[in-house]
Amino acid sequence: MHFINPQKHTRRAFLKRGTQLALAGTATPMALNLAALGEAAAMTATDYKALVCVFLYGGNDYANTVVRFDDAGHAQYTQLRSAGGNGALVIPKANLSATELKPTTALVNGVKYALAPEMTGMAKLFDQGRLAVQLNVGPLVVPLTRQQYTARVLAQPPKLFSHNDQQSVWQAQGAEGSSRGWGGNLGDLALTSNADSMFTCMSVAGNAVFLSGQNALQYQCGLSGAVAVEAVRGNSFGQFMYEPAMRTAFAQLIQQTHTHVLANEYNRVMQRSLTAETKVTSAMGGVSLSTPFPAGNILGAQLKTVAQLIGGRSSLGAKRQVFMVSLDGFDVHDGMAARQPALLTKLSEALTAFDAALQELGVSDKVTTFTASDFGRTLTVNSDGTDHGWGGHQFVMGGAVKGKAFYGAPPPLSVGNTSAPDDQWHVGQGRLLPSTSVDQYAATMAKWFGVNDTELYGVLPNLNNFGVRAGRPDYPADLGFMKA
Amino acid sequence: MQAEETIAEACPASEANASIPGGTASGDVKHEWSEAALAACVAMLLSACGGGGSDREAEAKLSAGGVRFQPELLPRTPGERQLAMAARIPSATEFFDWAQRQFPALFSSQESDRTAAGGLVFRFFPGTGNYLAVLDGSVLVLGPLTQGQVVNVGTLQSFADAVGSGASSAKPSTDADAARFLLHAQFSASEAEIAAVKTKGYAAWLDEQLALPNSQSGWDWMVSKGYSAIDVNEYFFASGTYQFMVWFQLFQSPDAVRRRWAWALSEVFVVSWRGIKDLMNWDSFAMTEYWDMLCRNGLGTYRDLLEAVTLNPAMGCFSSTRGNLKEDSATGHLPDESYAREVMQLFSIGPYELNLDASLKRNANGQPIETYTADDVSNLARVFTGYNQDYSRPRFASPKSPNPMVNHIESVRGRMVFDGRNHSLLEKKFLGTAIPAGTLGPESLRMALDTLVNHPSTAPFLCRQFIQRMVTSNPTPAYVQRVAQVFNNNGSGVRGDLKAVLKAILLDDEALNATTLSSSTFGKLRSPVLRMAQWARTFKAKSVYGTWKMFLWDGNPAQDANQYPLNPSSIFSYYRPGYVPPGTAMATTGATAPEFQIVNESSVAGWANLLQGFVNKGVWVSAPNQPGFASNASDGHDIVPDYSAEKALVTTPQALVDRLNLLLCAGQLSAATVQLIVTALQADRMQANATDDLKQIHVARALMFVMCSAEYIAQR
């Protein structure tokens, strides 16, 4: 892996980004004062911070996750969600009392929410101030009203309602095929802070664009830690290649460079794998974590690995890291009554355990975890499930989060298509029209991560369309859910 | 003088026969060059026989260009012209190879190609004293054939389709070429198959394979192994046993080409077990039926395949067509849109309008053009209403407490059934088609599927992916176009002839020629499933107990290569056709390399460990003596290889590695890699009288080297 000299990285990265923006023709109000930038890296962190993305693949149904709990709201939710189905997808109000969310400052108009009944752990975190709810967030290019959406007069995210494209839009602000994710963009800026750039962006979830930067690439850690090549190391199965000379030759073979690009790139991954494994195994081995993680919970297993990696951060020389984990299965077109609660149980138990582990490691205020998903879903039901939507409610968790609070605007419960105000925050069937963009959501966390104002617009170029700069203070660049 | 005799024999003074003088008149190369060359011979016949002179003189003459001969070499009909224009311009080497194959009496006993200043490339044929040369894209001939004059017989482009189409009647000249073709077409290459391809030629061998009857269905196999039993094992609930069937077929079905193609189709028309296992009774048989459907329909027409996919029960469950109800204005219910979106986005037209070579069409602003809108999806969704599994047969109670009711096994077989009461009779307007209100379900379906099949983007969208599955991850636009043309018309006016498409892919010059073989960008990564199938077939793996309980899952990260048959994480398959791995050489050119999407620091190590786990004594199976998932005293190595031929070579490591290089890699391991492996193997100091166990593990080590080599994993 050819990493740019960190000393030159920041300035060069900025030059590149500036050129790209100029070519893109965006009228950025940003003044690229390179002289002022000089050689000073924008982020040379001395403290530690990490962001953890929990991607819920398939599109999580927001309405049965963060459920309207006030009487009027719940009644309306009940009515809208019973139609077309047998009512099995309505969570009775009585079942929600235990997980009612009581924010420090009550929402206006008496709006109340509760978490799905199985999310008791996260309800507690909310109450303890380490969990916040971001309401109705989703991809936007510019702020949109329903009329503008329908008339298609303003730029819209590409390929709405398509899984793979919306996953890509959330992660990389572009349809499938985009090659750089905002987590990777953060990683690019973070490289200078880390002794070993390889451990800047780490995934336990599989290949995804979120962590791909220009220079920062995701490192894939296995669920039980870094995977060693047994034939080289030769410990656990006995010595498959008994002769040291053979083992040496094998190690050489699998790291050889080749003229053929596919062969060469395959071996480059192997090189990274071998180089990283000893360091990662050693780093994780030095971590003792007594917090129990839920059994049979693949998200929990991933977060446990992340916790151990965070525990081993000094050994890896890491100061700024971005992690990704994921949970599949949220595309509940049918069987939703059984499937979604099972997934939300996993989510809640895994995040609760992760929070406890971070406290055990003493890094609770240094790690911010957030959820993301392809999209929310329809409010209307489809016999026993829901269809693809757009905006949804997400969670932000950590000691640096101003929890026990809601951010964003509670969407009206509506599936109507009139010009009434209540019908303006969905685009049909209760698919929410986001009132907060992914860019704002990400920017709030990026700012906490240590990205300065100028660089923020490099990480998230679309941010230019929101906030005071764009004359839209109602879509603020900083949503305010992070402590200073 | 030899050349003179050749000309005298070959150029009868008054004959204007259509065959090349002395050349092989293969019936399908009626090329006008033959007439032009004949005319040249006749014109110069009675002149003194001048040779090419010395090489230096020849070079100088050739470099000076030639008298323009002006034969009309382009084919006559517009259709042929179009095909010719789409044909890739051959390289000089390819042209020379083709010419000497076609006209051996004129160009024999070649020397190696040489270059000269000015970009001249030429090949001398001492057997006839003639030169063939290429200069600035034009073909020159010099020698006794042309009476010592340099004659320009036309551009390389004008020979393109002749050279290209010639490949289909071609035969591999080397074992490596034969193996290369076999490994594109199926899972493995044996010595016997290599010999057969060399004897029969690519096309004839392939035709034989494609004519083989569809071998035993997965359904029958599953029944024979006891998985349709109704007992306390409850094979009808969330049963991963379908995977045993898939591996068995990948490892053992005699119609390997058909199975390889079915595997490719399963990566495009995706149903994933994890998406149905909790939503269907008899999920393993549902997956089996889906696989069988691909095997039954894969070599028929795309139209038939698309309909079979659409109405397949497992697909119905996976994509929510099953039980999809029409609109209900009282409740506001609208039809589920999953399949409508997916059938357009993934199974037919794709998301953007494409040219025939799969390049994006662009509007006046230079932007790609979306093929469908959300409205198209909503309208098309109405077509896929009213279908459900066939629940007409009686259910039964599971023998195991609490004895839940279970659907009949036939409910996952064949096609979903239609109930008009649940079908939307609204008008359906999509993709410029309008299905009138009131149209009955079957007719709606017919019209909808016809629309998708006939859309101009369908052929390039699918054919590019098919090429990626079989041959190369980033095909040239011209290759895509040639195949897409066959999709649109197989030559007999049939659209979507998948057998013809498969032949076009495998027999295309780009798949077979020497240039792509030595290209640094051509080819694809072998996916983990294909590597395992190759191992099993090459070494005649057998299941001792006949149960074939091979199973890959994500439960053991240390041995996880990230691919589980018929169980990808979503309908978007194991990897995306448009995936460009970030931070790689492919990213700088935007070259797609789908299989890299499951390649990461964990999975590359996972593959090496997985291989190490089975390559010596075979696959370890729990309870191989009985069906299902269990563990007992019979746990052991059940799917075992036969390395007898390899074990006979343990004292001759060069021969051993050469053998593995040919059979597994089609000779694509470089000399340096071969040398590295040979040297490494010598560390074992194998003796002829070593124990069988020792010989076995030595062979296993050799296989570790070969099958972990990037030159094996990247297949050309």
Side-chain angles (χ1 to χ4, degrees):
Chain A
M1 181 68 208
H2 180 67
F3 288 105
I4 288 180
N5 182 339
Q7 294 299 91
K8 296 185 188 146
H9 170 76
T10 307
R11 187 187 173 94
R12 189 184 306 189
F14 222 93
L15 279 167
K16 236 190 151 79
R17 204 148 278 140
T19 319
Q20 285 168 348
L21 288 170
L23 286 174
T26 47
T28 92
M30 171 173 52
L32 285 178
N33 192 337
L34 296 174
L37 197 59
E39 290 293 331
M43 193 192 304
T44 36
T46 46
D47 63 340
Y48 177 79
K49 281 184 181 170
L51 273 173
V52 181
C53 172
V54 178
F55 207 96
L56 309 178
Y57 280 108
N60 180 36
D61 180 86
Y62 70 88
N64 274 13
T65 305
V66 181
V67 193
R68 279 295 288 270
F69 186 66
D70 53 289
D71 288 341
H74 188 273
Q76 204 172 357
Y77 150 80
T78 301
Q79 187 214 334
L80 293 174
R81 241 188 193 184
S82 303
N86 58 2
L89 290 172
V90 175
I91 305 174
K93 193 162 187 299
N95 297 13
L96 296 166
S97 310
T99 49
E100 183 190 349
L101 298 175
K102 297 173 182 160
T104 307
T105 310
L107 290 166
V108 299
N109 301 325
V111 173
K112 293 181 183 176
Y113 289 103
L115 291 182
E118 44 284 329
M119 297 170 75
T120 49
M122 284 170 72
K124 278 209 193 74
L125 292 178
F126 184 90
D127 208 53
Q128 290 166 358
R130 289 195 307 289
L131 186 78
V133 176
Q134 172 63 54
L135 295 167
N136 195 10
V137 57
L140 287 172
V141 179
V142 296
L144 273 186
T145 66
R146 183 174 182 177
Q147 283 171 338
Q148 289 164 339
Y149 165 78
T150 308
R152 299 191 77 89
V153 293
L154 295 177
Q156 298 180 3
K159 295 294 185 190
L160 285 170
F161 320 119
S162 159
H163 284 294
N164 56 332
D165 293 299
Q166 293 310 299
Q167 289 160 14
S168 181
V169 173
W170 262 88
Q171 296 179 23
Q173 282 69 46
E176 186 189 68
S178 305
S179 57
R180 302 257 297 280
W182 62 271
N185 290 345
L186 288 176
D188 283 340
L189 295 171
L191 290 178
T192 52
S193 304
N194 296 332
D196 192 336
S197 43
M198 199 188 302
F199 304 118
T200 305
C201 293
M202 316 229 332
S203 173
V204 193
N207 294 26
V209 68
F210 176 63
L211 292 177
S212 295
Q214 180 164 336
N215 300 304
L217 287 187
Q218 77 164 43
Y219 166 77
Q220 175 73 23
C221 187
L223 262 187
S224 315
V227 181
V229 177
E230 292 299 328
V232 170
R233 196 219 267 160
N235 282 347
S236 40
F237 306 155
Q239 303 279 14
F240 181 73
M241 293 188 182
Y242 184 78
E243 293 293 334
M246 191 183 285
R247 282 203 299 283
T248 305
F250 184 75
Q252 189 190 336
L253 170 102
I254 61 178
Q255 300 184 83
Q256 261 179 344
T257 57
H258 291 286
T259 318
H260 193 272
V261 301
L262 300 181
N264 196 50
E265 294 296 346
Y266 188 88
N267 276 3
R268 282 181 68 211
V269 177
M270 178 60 87
Q271 285 166 24
R272 283 166 58 89
S273 177
L274 290 168
T275 307
E277 187 271 324
T278 40
K279 296 179 191 173
V280 170
T281 300
S282 160
M284 289 174 71
V287 178
S288 70
L289 208 52
S290 63
T291 302
F293 275 79
N297 182 330
I298 196 152
L299 180 62
Q302 293 173 62
L303 286 171
K304 180 176 177 183
T305 303
V306 174
Q308 287 171 322
L309 288 167
I310 291 174
R313 64 197 178 285
S314 327
S315 161
L316 296 176
K319 295 276 192 237
R320 286 288 185 278
Q321 294 181 298
V322 189
F323 294 91
M324 184 171 185
V325 297
S326 71
L327 189 57
D328 280 1
F330 285 88
D331 190 30
V332 290
H333 287 276
D334 39 25
M336 177 172 158
R339 292 162 76 189
Q340 193 194 16
L343 292 166
L344 294 178
T345 304
K346 287 199 160 95
L347 175 65
S348 184
E349 290 182 356
L351 285 185
T352 306
F354 189 52
D355 170 81
L358 293 174
Q359 289 190 68
E360 185 188 343
L361 292 171
V363 293
S364 177
D365 60 339
K366 302 186 189 325
V367 180
T368 299
T369 305
F370 66 96
T371 63
S373 193
D374 322 8
F375 32 65
R377 304 184 77 82
T378 52
L379 187 53
T380 52
V381 306
N382 190 351
S383 51
D384 68 339
T386 49
D387 209 334
H388 302 177
W390 188 355
H393 306 324
Q394 303 298 339
F395 301 100
V396 194
M397 181 183 88
V401 173
K402 290 197 243 175
K404 203 166 160 66
F406 291 91
Y407 297 87
L413 286 159
S414 157
V415 301
N417 302 316
T418 71
S419 54
D422 269 8
D423 290 349
Q424 300 316 307
W425 286 103
H426 73 100
V427 294
Q429 299 180 69
R431 295 177 158 114
L432 291 179
L433 171 63
S435 48
T436 299
S437 69
V438 173
D439 304 280
Q440 297 162 263
Y441 185 59
T444 306
M445 292 185 274
K447 187 173 163 189
W448 167 81
F449 193 68
V451 176
N452 69 30
D453 278 346
T454 325
E455 296 211 294
L456 202 53
Y457 293 85
V459 172
L460 296 156
N462 230 26
L463 197 61
N464 282 298
N465 299 328
F466 303 95
V468 171
R469 287 172 177 244
R472 293 305 301 257
D474 51 332
Y475 287 77
D478 185 343
L479 295 168
F481 55 68
M482 299 303 300
K483 295 175 184 168
Chain B
M1 174 174 155
Q2 187 179 11
E4 202 169 25
E5 286 167 4
T6 305
I7 289 179
E9 283 171 2
C11 303
S14 59
E15 280 297 307
N17 64 48
S19 65
I20 285 291
T24 315
S26 37
D28 56 342
V29 184
K30 279 263 176 68
H31 205 272
E32 286 150 33
W33 192 81
S34 63
E35 294 169 24
L38 177 62
C41 292
V42 169
M44 298 171 190
L45 185 62
L46 297 174
S47 302
C49 177
S54 72
D55 250 6
R56 263 195 186 284
E57 286 175 4
E59 260 185 49
K61 276 187 176 180
L62 289 165
S63 292
V67 173
R68 178 77 212 199
F69 201 26
Q70 304 291 348
E72 176 49 66
L73 293 167
L74 287 172
R76 294 185 191 124
T77 72
E80 287 174 322
R81 215 174 275 273
Q82 203 184 11
L83 275 171
M85 286 289 112
R88 182 181 59 78
I89 299 175
S91 67
T93 302
E94 289 165 338
F95 176 78
F96 299 154
D97 289 346
W98 171 81
Q100 72 187 62
R101 276 201 306 268
Q102 296 301 328
F103 314 118
L106 297 180
F107 309 111
S108 70
S109 352
Q110 67 179 107
E111 286 183 348
S112 29
D113 297 354
R114 279 174 283 169
T115 56
L120 177 77
V121 182
F122 67 97
R123 182 180 294 182
F124 178 54
F125 300 90
T128 50
N130 289 313
Y131 290 84
L132 275 177
V134 173
L135 178 67
D136 290 337
S138 283
V139 177
L140 309 175
V141 189
L142 169 66
L145 173 63
T146 63
Q147 256 310 280
Q149 303 293 320
V150 175
V151 178
N152 182 328
V153 293
T155 60
L156 274 179
Q157 164 83 71
S158 63
F159 285 91
D161 69 318
V163 174
S165 65
S168 66
S169 58
K171 300 180 182 185
S173 43
T174 64
D175 288 358
D177 282 343
R180 182 188 187 204
F181 168 74
L182 288 164
L183 296 176
H184 285 162
Q186 52 180 31
F187 302 102
S188 58
S190 67
E191 289 156 300
E193 287 167 326
I194 289 170
V197 176
K198 284 175 78 177
T199 308
K200 298 173 183 177
Y202 299 115
W205 182 89
L206 185 56
D207 282 337
E208 271 180 17
Q209 297 303 307
L210 293 171
L212 290 175
N214 188 10
S215 62
Q216 183 196 37
S217 69
W219 190 284
D220 287 348
W221 186 88
M222 288 284 280
V223 171
S224 75
K225 297 301 171 188
Y227 295 115
S228 57
I230 296 173
D231 60 28
V232 296
N233 289 305
E234 292 193 311
Y235 293 130
F236 35 78
F237 289 153
S239 169
T241 53
Y242 78 93
Q243 204 183 118
F244 307 155
M245 176 282 300
V246 178
W247 287 115
F248 172 76
Q249 297 231 331
L250 295 178
F251 287 2
Q252 290 276 307
S253 291
D255 47 342
V257 174
R258 185 192 291 267
R259 288 320 193 251
R260 170 73 193 273
W261 179 236
W263 171 254
L265 294 176
S266 77
E267 295 186 303
V268 177
F269 305 98
V270 177
V271 173
S272 178
W273 175 63
R274 69 181 78 184
I276 65 147
K277 67 179 179 69
D278 299 321
L279 300 173
M280 290 181 98
N281 295 162
W282 296 108
D283 52 298
S284 260
F285 275 85
M287 292 306 298
T288 300
E289 171 64 15
Y290 157 76
W291 171 258
D292 283 346
M293 177 271 297
L294 294 177
C295 293
R296 285 195 301 265
N297 293 283
L299 295 174
T301 66
Y302 168 66
R303 175 61 176 78
D304 287 346
L305 175 66
L306 186 62
E307 184 167 320
V309 166
T310 300
L311 298 177
N312 173 268
M315 177 63 82
C317 174
F318 191 55
S319 294
S320 309
T321 305
R322 173 187 78 157
N324 196 8
L325 299 172
K326 66 184 178 189
E327 64 289 331
D328 183 342
S329 49
T331 62
H333 166 84
L334 290 173
D336 186 290
E337 297 180 355
S338 289
Y339 190 69
R341 182 176 297 109
E342 285 148 9
V343 77
M344 289 195 286
Q345 182 178 3
L346 303 173
F347 299 161
S348 60
I349 63 181
Y352 297 107
E353 289 192 16
L354 301 177
N355 296 305
L356 202 56
D357 63 0
S359 57
L360 287 167
K361 287 193 175 174
R362 293 184 183 272
N363 61 19
N365 299 329
Q367 298 301 311
I369 307 164
E370 295 195 342
T371 45
Y372 61 88
T373 64
D375 268 348
D376 290 313
V377 174
S378 300
N379 272 260
L380 182 58
R382 297 173 186 158
V383 173
F384 303 119
T385 52
Y387 295 93
N388 211 337
Q389 288 179 251
D390 181 359
Y391 296 122
S392 63
R393 296 175 186 78
R395 302 165 84 198
F396 61 91
S398 166
K400 187 174 175 188
S401 175
N403 316 106
M405 293 306 287
V406 187
N407 294 322
H408 196 283
I409 197 173
E410 289 290 322
S411 68
V412 303
R413 199 168 197 183
R415 301 187 160 201
M416 288 191 286
V417 294
F418 177 75
D419 184 344
R421 293 171 297 179
N422 296 326
H423 182 71
S424 169
L425 291 174
L426 294 179
E427 180 186 44
K428 302 149 185 88
K429 289 178 79 165
F430 58 93
L431 301 178
T433 297
I435 300 178
T439 306
L440 298 180
E443 176 63 9
S444 286
L445 184 66
R446 187 193 65 75
M447 293 177 69
L449 296 183
D450 285 350
T451 303
L452 296 174
V453 169
N454 292 319
H455 193 286
S457 292
T458 299
F461 180 69
L462 292 178
C463 289
R464 188 177 197 276
Q465 292 182 66
F466 293 157
I467 296 172
Q468 288 181 313
R469 301 293 90 243
M470 304 302 290
V471 174
T472 183
S473 292
N474 195 48
T476 60
Y479 187 7
V480 176
Q481 183 162 328
R482 291 190 291 274
V483 176
Q485 274 163 338
V486 172
F487 183 102
N488 283 335
N489 186 338
N490 68 348
S492 307
V494 177
R495 173 180 284 278
D497 176 351
L498 295 174
K499 188 186 293 192
V501 166
L502 178 58
K503 285 177 66 171
I505 292 171
L506 296 173
L507 298 176
D508 191 274
D509 189 62
E510 192 156 317
L512 297 174
N513 72 46
T515 307
T516 54
L517 182 60
S518 55
S519 149
S520 66
T521 54
F522 178 86
K524 59 188 274 295
L525 294 190
R526 288 183 161 84
S527 64
V529 168
L530 291 179
R531 296 175 217 165
M532 301 197 66
Q534 183 178 26
W535 170 83
R537 285 185 181 252
T538 307
F539 303 108
K540 306 183 183 59
K542 286 279 179 290
S543 168
V544 174
Y545 282 99
T547 49
W548 294 95
K549 291 174 14 175
M550 170 87 205
F551 194 82
L552 287 188
W553 62 312
D554 62 1
N556 184 1
Q559 294 192 4
D560 189 355
N562 246 356
Q563 189 180 41
Y564 328 107
L566 302 193
N567 196 24
S569 58
S570 78
I571 198 168
F572 296 96
S573 198
Y574 312 101
Y575 25 68
R576 305 293 306 131
Y579 183 74
V580 178
T584 62
M586 291 76 84
T588 56
T589 56
T592 50
E595 284 82 354
F596 267 92
Q597 197 160 7
I598 55 173
V599 169
N600 57 45
E601 292 85 356
S602 293
S603 67
V604 296
W607 163 249
N609 296 335
L610 177 66
L611 176 64
Q612 181 178 326
F614 68 77
V615 74
N616 183 13
K617 297 193 179 157
V619 178
W620 180 273
V621 174
S622 297
N625 59 331
Q626 62 183 69
F629 294 92
S631 178
N632 61 28
S634 298
D635 291 1
H637 299 284
D638 181 70
I639 301 175
V640 298
D642 174 1
Y643 294 149
S644 29
E646 289 71 29
K647 284 190 275 198
L649 299 175
V650 296
T651 55
T652 53
Q654 183 72 50
L656 173 59
V657 179
D658 285 345
R659 175 184 173 80
L660 298 179
N661 187 11
L662 174 63
L663 295 183
L664 294 174
C665 316
Q668 290 164 14
L669 295 183
S670 65
T673 299
V674 169
Q675 194 49 51
L676 181 156
I677 302 175
V678 169
T679 307
L681 290 175
Q682 285 161 347
D684 269 356
R685 298 185 300 279
M686 293 304 295
Q687 306 288 331
N689 62 355
T691 62
D692 189 72
D693 274 357
L694 215 47
K695 291 184 182 178
Q696 180 96 357
I697 197 171
H698 181 79
V699 171
R701 289 166 185 154
L703 283 170
M704 273 295 281
F705 273 86
V706 173
M707 295 181 73
C708 289
S709 165
E711 288 170 330
Y712 161 74
I713 293 179
Q715 173 188 7
R716 285 169 276 161

